[in-house]
Amino acid sequence: MAELQQNTETADTKSSSFYRDFLTKFGALFGLLILCIILSFSTEYFFTVDNMFNITRQASIIAILALAVLLPILTSGIDLSVGSLLALSAMVMGVVSVNWGLGPVLGIISCLAVGAFFGWLNGLALTKLRLPHPFISTLGMMNIARGFALIITGAAPIAGFAFSIQYIGSGSIGPVPVSFLVVIFLYVAMHFFLTRTTIGTYIYAIGGNKEAARLSGINVDKILILVYTSSGLLAGVAGLVMVGRVDSAFPLAGMGYELDAIAAVIIGGASLFGGIGTVWGTMIGTLIIAVLRNGLNLLNVSSDLQMTIIGAVIILAVYIDVLRQRGQTKEA
Amino acid sequence: MAELQQNTETADTKSSSFYRDFLTKFGALFGLLILCIILSFSTEYFFTVDNMFNITRQASIIAILALAVLLPILTSGIDLSVGSLLALSAMVMGVVSVNWGLGPVLGIISCLAVGAFFGWLNGLALTKLRLPHPFISTLGMMNIARGFALIITGAAPIAGFAFSIQYIGSGSIGPVPVSFLVVIFLYVAMHFFLTRTTIGTYIYAIGGNKEAARLSGINVDKILILVYTSSGLLAGVAGLVMVGRVDSAFPLAGMGYELDAIAAVIIGGASLFGGIGTVWGTMIGTLIIAVLRNGLNLLNVSSDLQMTIIGAVIILAVYIDVLRQRGQTKEA
Amino acid sequence: MSEPLLQVIQVKKSFSGTEVLKGLDLDVEAGEVHVLLGENGAGKSTLIKMLTGAYSMDEGEMYWQGEKVTFETPSDSMNVGIATIYQELNMIPELKVYENIFLGNERHRFSMLNRKHMKRKARELLIRLGQNPDLIEKRTGSLGIGLQQIIEIAKALTTDAKLLIMDEPTSSLSGTEVEQLFASVKELRKEGLAIIFISHRLEEIKELGDRVTILRDGLKVETLPVKETISDKMVELMVGRTLNEKFPKIESERGKEGLRVDGLQIAMYPEPLSFSAYQGEILGLAGLVGAGRTELARAIFGADPKTQGSISIFGQEMTINSPKDAIQAGLAFITEDRKGEGLVLGQTLRFNINLGSLFKYKQAGVLKKRALYKNGEHYVQELNIQPAKAGMKARFLSGGNQQKVVIAKWLSTDAEVFIFDEPTRGIDVGAKVEVYRLMNELIEKGKIVVVISSELPELLGMCDRILVMHEGTLTGDFDRETASQERIMRAATGGK
Amino acid sequence: EESTTQVTVVLKTLSSEYWQLVEAGAMEAGKELGIDVRVTGPSAESEIMDQVNLIEDGIVQQPDAFVIAPIQPSSVVPALERAYERDIPVLLLDTDVEWDKKTSFVGTDNYSAGQAAGKLMLESVEEGDEVALITGMPGNTAIDSRIDGAVDVLEENGVLIAARQSGDSDKSESVNVASNILQRNPEIKGIYAASDDMAIGAYRAVNQTNLDIPVIGTDGNLEATENIIAGGLSGTIAQSPYDMGYQSVIAAAKAASGQEVEARIPTEIQTITEDSAPEQAEFIRGVLNR
Ligand SMILES: Nc1ncnc2c1ncn2[C@@H]1O[C@H](COP(=O)(O)OP(=O)(O)OP(=O)(O)O)[C@@H](O)[C@H]1O
Ligand SMILES: Nc1ncnc2c1ncn2[C@@H]1O[C@H](COP(=O)(O)OP(=O)(O)OP(=O)(O)O)[C@@H](O)[C@H]1O
Ligand SMILES: O[C@H]1[C@H](O)[C@@H](O)OC[C@H]1O
Ligand SMILES: [Mg+2]
Ligand SMILES: [Mg+2]
């Protein structure tokens, strides 16, 4: 019977599958390249070493938040609280390390711990309270955490962080921003985690079919809690980088960033229905947005028009992806 | 065979099913009542005729936007652009009726037309461009429309609208705000549409199982386009009421309202996975948020703490719903 | 007798106050194939789900190798050595086939996933099940449900289970795959594995089973040795009365040509297809899994794009580019995948039954509620859907009863041409006869009936004419007199 | 029972230092007069409708006078009308509204503040030099007037405006915007940001680009003042938020008791540079107990 079904198996030979893989992986990258080429021709300031690192520095915070929302999205969830958690962990770090004078190490630890803790609460709300969709629990958390971030110092910003903290957000090694290195490290680690470990596979499985995952013996709740805790932790890291970048923690930091981060993840090819998405796609999605913002600034486009253009590019980027995938299905 | 399976038919008699229906319908209402009772005892100003109409006036904009997002949510979609469309249609109305002096009638027509037109574009993006999820198309549209709203007058607000437009947003008939009557009218009409027409049924079917709907002969694309067009149209109505309420159109109007509206819909018992949700639930969800805001203002609670409390109540409201449904399955 | 491998005593389970299992006993010995037989909704799948920890028991006790156990989650039961193939597919569509096969049971090397090893093992398993080993790299969601069912079987075989539970594993397989599966099962039994096997196909039970436990209404009727019990006896115990004939074939005159498919070209297949179906006959469509029968039906119905060809109904050529066109042209298509394509699970039976025929219940644009209610009740009674509550959500019905709801939806449309794709998949013997009677009624009313089925006996028993498909082409056309199991199989495997 | 006079103060927000200083001044005046002062405001300066709701909810509680700092001047008019109908006098603070029934306006002349910033900039740039301007959230009229004032002074003196971008009144957004401006115009000789938050953001960008050009802000916040002391920002145009709050409540109390109130009560601006910064910082710390 093996031979029977052979030719429903089609022209999908090794080489065409390689080609398809290539496209799938590098489709968004292609869009990014086109964007870069257009900008290089439009403004002489764009394609300079300086500006390239400028972009990576500007992209770093959204890049980390995008990673933070990638995980829940892979499980067919979402995390709307990352922007607020960024602010809250930054404020706590300020209080601990500056106001209480306990120094950078304890500050950083508390920053990450706060992020992870509130992320864990998101996970609990989803799994233990059995809220139907994390949209609602993380929307609630978005408000709760923002409120706390405001209350904690009565809305006063905190400045005067230790050099080591500033270094993470604004230092460079040679011309390379430290924040960019942080991003690279996180992305490599996450890629490895998602593709090489059992838990990584389970995350995709849960996003694909939660009930099937459960019936396959996967402890779905445990994994979901881990996912939301990691998401919060990453928001904490983003808070750390943000503070380093502006040398101040302020309670309205990161407002609305969650939508940018989600957009980056989806431009990068992930599906809101779960189970589909990659770390590299996310990186490219982030860069598309960052490059676009930077380029439009360099072209001196007003911020109003920038909004409209970015909106159009979001749709365009995803549409290109749709076209590409359709092309694939047709020819393969 | 019939008699054999008879006793899988159980105690689920008419009366217990009535009880269950009652709970399902009035669970959120119950929460709203409790909230009102608590507030009546906490502040003398709450339970006054004045304040009741104050609340309905304040709730009206979110109430209309909630209706606007209910439709896409029922089809398992979402519309993030309603807040921006509110602003854009308001600005266009301002330009047409005030800046160009073409009067209120043309102003209102253009306001609604703009909302519907951009909603229609959302629908096209979803169905014709085949974007995978309306989250992305409407997120794009959210930016595009906001950008337009800003560009159209170079960010300047427009004031000095005709009396008739003001009347819709801030007039009263006796003590009853006109905007409240508009809301009631829209809700009744929508309830009728969703429960008594073929298209209403199709909307639920599409949200429940798009493929099954298609194979049952439903023109899914046509219905989806209708849904997003109506959503945009309702955003236009909200823009009209908003302008009437503050006698001015301004480009940042309705920012972030999409999330409030979605929260209201979900608190009202709708499912983000589609196919589940009612007009009345949406009304109650809206009122819960509005009453809470108003009550906290009257209690002079600081806005920071308000955020945290509202976040917690969002989670709580949905959790109560979860508990109630679980209780039902157990005892009924 | 040594102590049983698995024993359950007096299990009870209720949903929303409805008692589904009412104190059921079961014992399974090592090395036996233990069959569960019962009508749709008797509680077989519910029992299985309690054995695996997917549901919790309300009451009752469970013993594993003599020791009392409670399973809180599926992984608890997997840990003691129970592998399960559930009635509904549990594949992750986005994962590759080999990833699904090892899901929850991954192989590691230095605590990292060992993909190489998993792929090798997956290939071996597919070969053993008679499949193309290259499938392992495919996205599971891209495969038809027949193949997915085979992947599901492969998945169960990766564990070192002592008990293998199979809830209707064959319902979407055709003869050849079933044979492959049975060969594997028999081998496993030899190795001392116990198997719980659920099927509504009596001949399978006869071939494979050692003992059969018959369930009725959430209670055990009896456990009997299969070899010594005649099938009719089993059916009688199961439905509580004797079933006179399995295939109530009626004789009727061949009438007008009702459906004509001319040079239909389906995107993925090279050759155009032509055939006709006539009034007064039931036309069968046979073939192996993946032969393209579903694709053909979908193309006719406008569910998938077709590149060329025409479709005529009672001599009139119809333009069909969407299911909507098809319905307006008078077609009805009872899809094979009831969960994915047939039902809106979150809605009531009434809603589902009326969904395709709302246009009949409109007055001045407004739906006539009472008429809709009446129609819902009518079909619940007519098809004997259980529980007979039109207001119940489709999700909570047993598989077989869900299937009836899908059929009801299409009967309600007043179509002229009915294409049934695996209409009796997962339906019990009693209900099957009811479905056959429905087909007869349609024929008598002058409607056209086309039946796609992987159960050859069913086609042979009910059809006046049988077309056979192989790899997207029509390779056989037999009438009732010339059709035989052997001839059809030959055509289905491509040998003319 | 004799009820005390009640003044309700609705600010743009309470979540920034500037508005907390206004609040402190208002409360101090209330304490001195022995009247009941309630200060509220939405969570952020973008919440236009929340502010309208706050005013309406305030009306329900029947105060004797209102002090309002409108986020979006035109949008509060109907609510103000409603207050007026109930004979509640309305004073405006910080941002004026074209509404002839107002009792008074208390606040900075923002155009002059912008001019002052322009003048301060002229101390370090000369004719023909290029500078960049960072504006606020669209529709913030107070900030727009400052930018106008600065532009007029700079252009009169032959300084070129090379870039004008919105920092959305947000610190981190301003870092990005400023660094992109510097990418494009490396010759820029100075940056004026119309609020201190944006100025601090812009300064970070300057610092990260290893440039040494003056950055000037507005408001006179503690964070900005300390930044000046540390050698960061070159200066800021301080407003007198504490005084605004104080004066407005005094005037509101007068209006509530039927007394005449001046139609315009201007509050001071002060150019803060390295020399005057310590004093300013100390003043704020004192007021806010920090
Ligand atoms: N989650 C649930 N909620 C409510 N009722 C349920 C639920 N699951 C099953 N039932 C009911 O329990 C009864 C037994 O269902 P079950 O699926 O066990 O039947 P079955 O014997 O496997 O039937 P089939 O042969 O059709 O698969 C049915 O009447 C069904 O409607
Ligand atoms: N060996 C195979 N390799 C790849 N795809 C296959 C293979 N066999 C089947 N398919 C896919 O499965 C689908 C058809 O499967 P399906 O099981 O529905 O077959 P069918 O003959 O149409 O119907 P039935 O299941 O009723 O026999 C097609 O989309 C086909 O591409
Ligand atoms: O005067 C104030 C301004 O109105 C506000 O928007 O920002 C803070 C201050 O600059
Ligand atoms: Mg079953
Ligand atoms: Mg098929």
Side-chain angles (χ1 to χ4, degrees):
Chain A
M1 195 164 149
E3 68 273 68
L4 262 179
Q5 294 193 325
Q6 228 156 31
N7 63 344
T8 46
E9 258 294 288
T10 49
D12 190 7
T13 60
K14 272 259 156 66
S15 77
S16 94
S17 121
F18 171 81
Y19 176 62
R20 189 197 302 184
D21 270 20
F22 181 84
L23 263 177
T24 313
K25 274 195 187 115
F26 299 108
L29 184 59
F30 192 64
L32 178 60
L33 284 181
I34 292 183
L35 189 62
C36 287
I37 292 172
I38 295 176
L39 286 172
S40 301
F41 281 101
S42 320
T43 158
E44 58 191 300
Y45 309 106
F46 178 76
F47 202 66
T48 61
V49 177
D50 235 28
N51 194 46
M52 289 299 117
F53 286 119
N54 192 22
I55 292 171
T56 58
R57 198 184 289 116
Q58 292 175 5
S60 59
I61 293 162
I62 294 291
I64 298 171
L65 285 187
L67 219 47
V69 295
L70 173 64
L71 286 177
I73 286 177
L74 284 179
T75 65
S76 84
I78 203 153
D79 190 343
L80 295 174
S81 68
V82 291
S84 295
L85 290 187
L86 177 159
L88 180 58
S89 30
M91 291 305 287
V92 169
M93 173 162 73
V95 170
V96 171
S97 77
V98 179
N99 294 9
W100 297 351
L102 296 179
V105 175
L106 279 181
I108 293 175
I109 290 174
S110 59
C111 173
L112 304 183
V114 165
F117 175 72
F118 281 81
W120 179 70
L121 291 182
N122 276 332
L124 288 190
L126 180 65
T127 58
K128 300 301 172 216
L129 301 191
R130 304 236 147 269
L131 297 191
H133 195 284
F135 193 97
I136 205 67
S137 42
T138 59
L139 179 67
M141 183 57 82
M142 167 176 152
N143 284 295
I144 294 177
R146 182 70 63 192
F148 280 147
L150 283 159
I151 292 168
I152 197 170
T153 60
I158 302 170
F161 283 87
F163 172 74
S164 52
I165 290 175
Q166 289 195 41
Y167 185 73
I168 294 170
S170 28
S172 331
I173 296 177
V176 187
V178 176
S179 57
F180 181 54
L181 297 177
V182 171
V183 169
I184 294 293
F185 169 78
L186 291 174
Y187 271 66
V188 170
M190 185 63 84
H191 174 74
F192 193 78
F193 170 67
L194 284 176
T195 57
R196 294 303 188 78
T197 69
T198 313
I199 297 183
T201 308
Y202 290 174
I203 287 174
Y204 283 95
I206 290 173
N209 183 343
K210 197 167 288 173
E211 184 58 14
R214 189 177 82 91
L215 293 176
S216 300
I218 296 172
N219 188 336
V220 174
D221 283 2
K222 202 178 87 185
I223 306 266
L224 285 178
I225 291 175
L226 180 79
V227 160
Y228 285 87
T229 307
S230 313
S231 175
L233 176 65
L234 284 166
V237 177
L240 173 61
V241 172
M242 160 80 98
V243 167
R245 188 152 155 64
V246 298
D247 185 25
S248 91
F250 52 102
L252 295 184
M255 246 194 350
Y257 281 24
E258 51 282 343
L259 289 185
D260 272 11
I262 294 169
V265 169
I266 294 176
I267 291 177
S271 160
L272 279 171
F273 294 113
I276 300 173
T278 64
V279 166
W280 302 123
T282 302
M283 165 68 87
I284 290 163
T286 310
L287 285 178
I288 286 182
I289 294 184
V291 164
L292 197 62
R293 283 244 158 84
N294 167 273
L296 293 174
N297 277 337
L298 293 185
L299 291 171
N300 218 358
V301 173
S302 78
S303 61
D304 321 347
L305 196 53
Q306 281 196 26
M307 278 194 127
T308 296
I309 294 175
I310 288 173
V313 169
I314 288 177
I315 293 179
L316 196 70
V318 176
Y319 181 52
I320 289 175
D321 206 58
V322 168
L323 280 185
R324 191 173 49 75
Q325 284 180 15
R326 215 185 298 170
Q328 260 173 57
T329 341
K330 280 226 182 86
E331 34 103 352
Chain B
M1 192 166 140
E3 66 275 66
L4 261 178
Q5 293 193 327
Q6 222 159 33
N7 59 348
T8 49
E9 253 296 287
T10 53
D12 190 8
T13 59
K14 274 257 159 67
S15 79
S16 95
S17 121
F18 171 79
Y19 177 63
R20 191 197 300 183
D21 269 19
F22 181 83
L23 262 177
T24 313
K25 274 196 187 114
F26 299 109
L29 184 58
F30 192 63
L32 178 61
L33 284 181
I34 291 183
L35 190 62
C36 288
I37 292 171
I38 294 176
L39 286 173
S40 301
F41 281 101
S42 319
T43 156
E44 58 190 302
Y45 304 111
F46 179 76
F47 202 69
T48 58
V49 176
D50 229 27
N51 194 46
M52 287 299 117
F53 286 119
N54 199 13
I55 291 172
T56 57
R57 197 183 295 115
Q58 292 175 0
S60 60
I61 294 161
I62 295 290
I64 299 171
L65 284 188
L67 220 47
V69 294
L70 173 65
L71 286 176
I73 286 177
L74 284 178
T75 65
S76 85
I78 204 154
D79 191 344
L80 294 175
S81 68
V82 290
S84 295
L85 290 187
L86 178 160
L88 180 57
S89 30
M91 291 305 287
V92 169
M93 174 163 71
V95 169
V96 170
S97 77
V98 180
N99 295 10
W100 296 351
L102 297 179
V105 174
L106 279 182
I108 292 175
I109 291 175
S110 60
C111 173
L112 303 183
V114 165
F117 175 72
F118 281 81
W120 179 69
L121 290 182
N122 277 331
L124 287 191
L126 180 65
T127 58
K128 299 301 172 218
L129 301 191
R130 305 236 147 268
L131 297 192
H133 194 285
F135 194 98
I136 205 66
S137 42
T138 59
L139 179 67
M141 185 56 82
M142 166 176 154
N143 284 294
I144 294 176
R146 182 70 63 192
F148 281 148
L150 284 158
I151 292 168
I152 199 168
T153 62
I158 302 170
F161 283 86
F163 171 75
S164 52
I165 291 176
Q166 288 192 43
Y167 185 72
I168 294 170
S170 25
S172 329
I173 296 177
V176 187
V178 176
S179 56
F180 181 55
L181 297 176
V182 171
V183 168
I184 294 293
F185 169 76
L186 291 174
Y187 271 66
V188 170
M190 185 64 83
H191 174 73
F192 188 81
F193 170 67
L194 284 177
T195 57
R196 288 309 190 83
T197 68
T198 320
I199 297 183
T201 311
Y202 289 169
I203 288 175
Y204 282 96
I206 290 173
N209 185 343
K210 198 166 289 174
E211 188 57 15
R214 190 176 80 95
L215 292 175
S216 302
I218 297 171
N219 188 336
V220 174
D221 283 3
K222 202 180 86 184
I223 306 270
L224 286 178
I225 290 175
L226 180 80
V227 160
Y228 284 87
T229 308
S230 314
S231 174
L233 177 64
L234 284 166
V237 177
L240 173 61
V241 172
M242 157 86 93
V243 166
R245 189 152 145 59
V246 296
D247 183 27
S248 72
F250 51 99
L252 295 187
M255 245 198 345
Y257 279 26
E258 51 283 344
L259 290 185
D260 272 13
I262 294 169
V265 169
I266 295 177
I267 290 176
S271 160
L272 278 171
F273 295 112
I276 299 173
T278 65
V279 166
W280 302 122
T282 302
M283 166 68 86
I284 290 162
T286 309
L287 285 178
I288 286 182
I289 294 183
V291 165
L292 194 64
R293 284 243 159 86
N294 168 271
L296 293 174
N297 280 345
L298 294 183
L299 290 172
N300 217 2
V301 174
S302 79
S303 60
D304 320 346
L305 197 54
Q306 280 197 27
M307 279 195 125
T308 296
I309 293 175
I310 288 174
V313 168
I314 289 177
I315 293 179
L316 195 72
V318 176
Y319 181 53
I320 289 175
D321 205 59
V322 169
L323 279 186
R324 190 172 50 75
Q325 284 181 15
R326 214 185 300 170
Q328 260 173 55
T329 339
K330 280 224 183 86
E331 30 103 358
Chain C
M1 209 160 70
S2 65
E3 71 189 355
L5 178 66
L6 175 78
Q7 189 176 20
V8 284
I9 300 171
Q10 290 295 310
V11 247
K12 290 189 180 172
K13 180 73 183 175
S14 304
F15 293 108
S16 317
T18 311
E19 198 168 40
V20 168
L21 297 186
K22 303 166 180 166
L24 196 120
D25 300 323
L26 178 73
D27 63 285
V28 180
E29 309 281 342
E32 75 162 340
V33 174
H34 194 118
V35 175
L36 295 182
L37 186 62
E39 290 187 295
N40 296 133
K44 303 178 294 295
S45 299
T46 306
L47 173 63
I48 294 307
K49 286 190 178 159
M50 285 189 300
L51 299 184
T52 66
Y55 288 169
S56 59
M57 295 189 194
D58 294 348
E59 272 176 55
E61 289 174 351
M62 190 172 358
Y63 295 87
W64 177 257
Q65 296 180 321
E67 256 175 67
K68 190 166 182 218
V69 285
T70 40
F71 298 146
E72 305 278 341
T73 64
S75 64
D76 292 346
S77 76
M78 291 164 84
N79 288 339
V80 305
I82 299 178
T84 311
I85 300 165
Y86 293 93
Q87 183 172 11
E88 304 297 341
L89 285 172
N90 282 297
M91 291 279 109
I92 314 288
E94 288 79 16
L95 293 186
K96 293 189 170 164
V97 166
Y98 80 90
E99 291 175 314
N100 262 312
I101 289 179
F102 282 93
L103 187 65
N105 188 24
E106 284 77 5
R107 300 299 140 91
H108 296 95
R109 206 174 126 90
F110 309 126
S111 77
M112 290 292 118
L113 290 175
N114 188 347
R115 290 185 190 273
K116 221 178 185 173
H117 176 82
M118 293 192 285
K119 285 181 192 179
R120 188 161 45 81
K121 284 283 172 206
R123 295 181 81 90
E124 288 172 17
L125 279 165
L126 286 188
I127 292 172
R128 179 164 155 198
L129 291 170
Q131 297 301 316
N132 182 349
D134 292 338
L135 284 177
I136 60 157
E137 291 279 5
K138 290 226 163 199
R139 214 178 63 85
T140 312
S142 72
L143 304 179
I145 50 174
L147 274 173
Q148 291 196 33
Q149 183 67 56
I150 291 167
I151 310 301
E152 193 85 61
I153 294 164
K155 179 177 172 183
L157 296 180
T158 59
T159 59
D160 309 312
K162 297 194 179 71
L163 170 64
L164 178 59
I165 301 175
M166 298 196 272
D167 193 352
E168 301 197 33
T170 56
S171 66
S172 49
L173 300 183
S174 63
T176 330
E177 292 94 17
V178 173
E179 276 168 34
Q180 300 278 3
L181 172 63
F182 281 15
S184 302
V185 168
K186 286 172 184 164
E187 210 174 294
L188 292 169
R189 171 169 58 186
K190 249 186 257 157
E191 292 164 17
L193 211 79
I195 290 149
I196 295 179
F197 182 82
I198 300 176
S199 172
H200 290 295
R201 297 179 183 173
L202 288 172
E203 59 291 353
E204 292 180 1
I205 295 172
K206 271 293 186 193
E207 179 181 346
L208 201 62
D210 295 313
R211 289 196 298 160
V212 56
T213 292
I214 295 163
L215 271 63
R216 199 164 78 205
D217 258 346
L219 284 171
K220 170 168 134 181
V221 180
E222 228 176 312
T223 299
L224 298 165
V226 172
K227 298 278 166 319
E228 284 96 83
T229 315
I230 54 165
S231 299
D232 287 352
K233 167 84 176 165
M234 290 188 218
V235 173
E236 198 183 325
L237 288 172
M238 165 182 153
V239 300
R241 64 191 150 87
T242 42
L243 218 87
N244 307 331
E245 42 178 357
K246 270 167 82 182
F247 300 113
K249 181 85 192 102
I250 51 163
E251 292 307 320
S252 57
E253 279 293 297
R254 180 160 168 169
K256 274 190 280 184
E257 180 188 59
L259 170 71
R260 180 184 180 82
V261 175
D262 230 340
L264 186 73
Q265 174 106 50
I266 310 163
M268 56 182 303
Y269 295 114
E271 262 185 67
L273 296 165
S274 304
F275 69 90
S276 301
Y278 299 88
Q279 275 185 326
E281 70 169 10
I282 296 180
L283 177 65
L285 199 47
L288 300 177
V289 168
R293 295 164 299 168
T294 300
E295 276 75 8
L296 172 62
R298 287 178 63 90
I300 295 172
F301 195 66
D304 288 338
K306 45 182 160 280
T307 40
Q308 63 179 50
S310 71
I311 290 154
S312 316
I313 289 171
F314 287 112
Q316 199 180 343
E317 190 171 331
M318 301 287 180
T319 330
I320 298 178
N321 291 317
S322 69
K324 188 175 181 182
D325 294 345
I327 289 168
Q328 274 164 0
L331 280 167
F333 177 36
I334 295 92
T335 49
E336 62 177 342
D337 177 5
R338 56 179 169 251
K339 243 167 97 186
E341 302 174 328
L343 292 170
V344 182
L345 287 172
Q347 293 289 353
T348 60
L349 307 190
R350 187 185 302 126
F351 183 102
N352 278 289
I353 290 170
N354 288 321
L355 188 57
S357 48
L358 287 179
F359 57 89
K360 292 202 295 192
Y361 305 102
K362 267 198 312 200
Q363 196 164 39
V366 179
L367 289 174
K368 293 190 281 186
K369 261 199 158 156
R370 182 153 318 147
L372 286 171
Y373 268 67
K374 237 174 93 186
N375 192 52
E377 297 296 342
H378 170 75
Y379 279 104
V380 167
Q381 298 303 333
E382 170 108 1
L383 298 195
N384 214 336
I385 294 170
Q386 295 294 339
K389 287 185 278 187
M392 188 165 171
K393 291 219 166 114
R395 170 167 294 122
F396 300 131
L397 252 54
S398 77
N401 281 301
Q402 287 180 343
Q403 184 72 26
K404 292 190 204 167
V405 175
V406 179
I407 295 176
K409 174 171 79 180
W410 290 106
L411 290 178
S412 170
T413 59
D414 300 340
E416 291 299 324
V417 178
F418 289 80
I419 304 175
F420 290 84
D421 193 356
E422 308 285 2
T424 60
R425 208 182 109 219
I427 303 199
D428 67 47
V429 283
K432 269 181 192 165
V433 176
E434 288 172 43
V435 172
Y436 300 146
R437 290 223 162 88
L438 277 166
M439 290 178 185
N440 286 340
E441 272 173 43
L442 290 173
I443 299 276
E444 281 169 343
K445 283 188 203 150
K447 312 274 180 184
I448 305 297
V449 176
V450 180
V451 184
I452 299 173
S453 172
S454 298
E455 257 191 278
L456 268 187
E458 164 173 296
L459 292 178
L460 289 168
M462 287 303 296
C463 295
D464 298 278
R465 198 152 62 88
I466 300 174
L467 301 178
V468 187
M469 263 184 101
H470 167 63
E471 291 177 3
T473 51
L474 287 171
T475 52
D477 183 347
F478 305 96
D479 54 28
R480 207 169 160 69
E481 285 71 49
T482 56
S484 74
Q485 184 124 6
E486 209 200 359
R487 284 175 154 166
I488 291 176
M489 278 317 290
R490 200 169 330 125
T493 51
K496 297 258 162 164
Chain D
E1 192 191 331
E2 184 74 10
S3 67
T4 57
T5 307
Q6 189 193 310
V7 177
T8 295
V9 182
V10 183
L11 301 179
K12 290 191 184 185
T13 180
L14 294 179
S15 65
S16 72
E17 182 191 310
Y18 179 88
W19 296 107
Q20 285 166 356
L21 288 167
V22 175
E23 181 184 16
M27 297 308 284
E28 175 61 25
K31 210 162 79 188
E32 281 176 16
L33 296 175
I35 61 173
D36 183 11
V37 176
R38 304 182 48 178
V39 185
T40 60
S43 55
E45 278 194 35
S46 51
E47 302 301 331
I48 297 170
M49 289 309 290
D50 278 359
Q51 189 183 42
V52 173
N53 290 348
L54 275 171
I55 298 171
E56 289 176 348
D57 291 342
I59 294 172
V60 172
Q61 300 172 65
Q62 301 158 336
D64 299 293
F66 264 123
V67 174
I68 286 161
I71 297 175
Q72 165 101 33
S74 56
S75 304
V76 291
V77 173
L80 300 189
E81 289 283 355
R82 202 164 290 143
Y84 182 79
E85 279 164 19
R86 289 165 207 232
D87 292 324
I88 307 172
V90 175
L91 292 83
L92 295 161
L93 178 142
D94 180 85
T95 302
D96 203 358
V97 181
E98 280 178 44
W99 178 59
D100 47 19
K101 293 159 191 157
K102 68 189 166 203
T103 304
S104 177
F105 167 73
V106 188
T108 306
D109 179 349
N110 281 300
Y111 183 81
S112 324
Q115 286 179 310
K119 282 178 199 141
L120 183 59
M121 182 69 82
L122 285 176
E123 290 178 13
S124 13
V125 302
E126 14 185 276
E127 197 173 333
D129 282 350
E130 293 186 341
V131 299
L133 304 179
I134 302 200
T135 67
M137 277 273 243
N140 187 322
T141 52
I143 282 189
D144 291 347
S145 318
R146 283 172 217 157
I147 294 287
D148 290 346
V151 168
D152 287 353
V153 168
L154 291 169
E155 284 183 343
E156 267 163 33
N157 290 279
V159 176
L160 306 170
I161 313 294
R164 178 176 176 159
Q165 295 252 358
S166 167
D168 264 350
S169 301
D170 177 81
K171 218 181 271 175
S172 53
E173 182 62 23
S174 302
V175 185
N176 288 352
V177 167
S179 61
N180 288 333
I181 290 176
L182 293 171
Q183 259 329 300
R184 184 192 152 88
N185 308 79
E187 297 85 48
I188 278 193
K189 291 286 178 319
I191 299 179
Y192 170 54
S195 82
D196 277 350
D197 273 351
M198 295 191 290
I200 288 165
Y203 171 71
R204 292 296 291 180
V206 169
N207 196 25
Q208 278 165 23
T209 326
N210 294 316
L211 287 175
D212 185 22
I213 55 169
V215 178
I216 293 167
T218 313
D219 286 345
N221 283 348
L222 187 57
E223 192 180 1
T225 319
E226 283 172 342
N227 197 297
I228 294 171
I229 297 170
L233 294 178
S234 315
T236 185
I237 310 304
Q239 307 190 60
S240 311
Y242 181 84
D243 198 36
M244 258 180 236
Y246 184 87
Q247 301 268 11
S248 64
V249 168
I250 300 279
K254 272 196 200 164
S257 59
Q259 285 169 264
E260 272 296 302
V261 175
E262 300 220 8
R264 248 194 127 69
I265 305 175
T267 50
E268 300 271 299
I269 53 170
Q270 195 192 344
T271 303
I272 307 283
T273 53
E274 239 176 316
D275 312 328
S276 44
E279 196 187 328
Q280 168 83 356
E282 198 152 321
F283 168 72
I284 299 175
R285 281 204 198 92
V287 174
L288 292 180
N289 278 323
R290 289 225 175 99

